[in-house]
């Protein structure tokens, strides 16, 4: 998940944890309702959230919101393990990936697409770190 104050990019992996796929982008205020419905439909064992830090490694402003979300989520879904994954440069990497894929410029300007692709990169990075 690429957690943001306005919207969150969501990605999921296949059951074997080989490939991350972008799912959607959700307004942050709708996130818990969306997750509730998703978790009823899909088996989820882990939730990976992008960890946004300053270049010096200190948490940035969104970190307090992420911590609040994690506490609420952990209370509601204690069986699902929460993980943080460094999200440094994922938005830039998402933009570069869309250029490589030939996504037209106007579609690359849609922040929802960038957030969804960033979530995919966060999850892929997490899965690669497990190997």
């Amino acid at each position: 998940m690429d957690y943001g104050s306005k919207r969150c990019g969501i990605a999921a992996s296949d059951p074997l944890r080989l490939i991350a796929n972008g799912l959607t982008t959700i307004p942050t205020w709708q996130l818990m309702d969306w997750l509730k419905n998703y978790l009823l439909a899909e088996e989820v064992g882990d939730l990976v959230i992008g960890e946004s830090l300053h270049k010096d490694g200190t948490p940035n402003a969104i970190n307090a919101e992420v911590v609040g979300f994690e506490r609420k989520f952990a209370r509601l879904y204690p069986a699902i393990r929460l993980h943080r994954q460094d999200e440094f440069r994922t938005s830039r990497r998402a933009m570069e990936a869309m250029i490589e894929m030939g996504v037209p410029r106007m579609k690359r300007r849609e922040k929802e697409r960038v957030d969804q692709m960033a979530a995919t990169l966060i999850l892929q990075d997490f899965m690669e770190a497990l190997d």
Side-chain angles (χ1 to χ4, degrees):
M1 174 185 311
D2 182 26
Y3 191 96
S5 59
K6 294 182 182 179
R7 71 195 153 270
C8 298
I10 308 289
S13 74
D14 61 298
L16 297 176
R17 293 183 177 188
L18 299 174
I19 300 170
N21 295 300
L23 291 180
T24 190
T25 302
I26 303 296
T28 301
W29 65 272
Q30 294 177 348
L31 180 61
M32 290 306 288
D33 288 335
W34 187 90
L35 285 170
K36 177 183 174 185
N37 292 325
Y38 185 79
L39 295 172
L40 287 172
E42 299 291 334
E43 186 176 329
V44 175
D46 299 271
L47 180 67
V48 180
I49 303 170
E51 183 166 39
S52 186
L53 303 172
H54 292 291
K55 286 183 181 181
D56 67 0
T58 59
N60 68 12
I62 195 74
N63 190 60
E65 288 183 50
V66 172
V67 169
F69 166 79
E70 287 174 325
R71 287 181 180 152
K72 183 175 182 179
F73 186 89
R75 245 187 350 266
L76 294 171
Y77 306 101
I80 298 175
R81 292 175 302 279
L82 291 171
H83 306 273
R84 291 275 191 112
Q85 175 65 40
D86 183 12
E87 67 173 32
F88 182 68
R89 294 193 54 189
T90 53
S91 293
R92 175 178 275 173
R93 288 173 45 211
M95 194 63 88
E96 291 168 358
M98 288 191 291
I99 290 168
E100 287 179 23
M101 293 171 18
V103 175
R105 181 178 300 218
M106 291 304 289
K107 291 192 179 202
R108 291 193 313 257
R109 289 183 181 166
E110 297 172 8
K111 295 205 180 275
E112 291 83 6
R113 287 182 187 271
V114 176
D115 292 339
Q116 184 177 328
M117 179 67 79
T120 304
L121 292 169
I122 290 165
L123 181 55
Q124 192 68 45
D125 289 347
F126 175 79
M127 292 187 308
E128 289 173 4
L130 293 176
D131 293 337

